Amino acid sequence: VQLQASGGGLVQPGGSLRLSCTVSGSIFLINQMAWYRQPPGRQRELVARIFSSDGTNYAASVNGRFTISRDNAKKAVYLQMNRLRSDDTAVYFCWVNGLRYDSNIEEEFWGQGTQVTVSS
C-alpha cells in the first residue's frame, strides 16, 4: 500500500494551498483518513481527520481555516489550507487506516511528507 502526497510549496502568509494524497496498492477498505504535520524541531501532530462517515475533527490551531475532504472512489484525501500562517510551516503527512485484501487486521499507512513553507 502506497500513499502519494502532493501540493506542498512556498506560500505567503494569508495565502492558500491544497494538499492531495492518493492511496494505491492492495487496500480493500479505508476507514479513517488524516493529515499530520511535523513543524521544525517539534513532534508530529494531528491536523485533521475524516471518518468513513465523513465526520471530521480538526486541531484547534487550524479549525476554521483548513478543510479536510475525501473521495472514496479515487481513494484520495485532500486538505484545503486557507489563511496560512508562518506557524503552519511543517512537513505534512497523509495517513489512513484500513484493511488489505488478504487480511482482517486493521493497519495504518503513512505517506511521504510534503513540505509546506509559509513565509514572506
Side-chain angles (χ1 to χ4, degrees), residues 13-35:
S16 297
L17 281 175
R18 186 175 188 249
L19 304 183
S20 300
C21 177
T22 302
V23 184
S24 62
S26 60
I27 189 163
F28 168 66
L29 176 69
I30 298 174
N31 292 322
Q32 298 178 39
M33 309 181 85
W35 289 95

Side-chain angles (χ1 to χ4, degrees), residues 32-48:
Q32 298 178 39
M33 309 181 85
W35 289 95
Y36 285 75
R37 69 185 180 187
Q38 187 164 14
R42 294 172 56 186
Q43 291 186 333
R44 193 172 299 188
E45 61 188 20
L46 176 66
V47 176

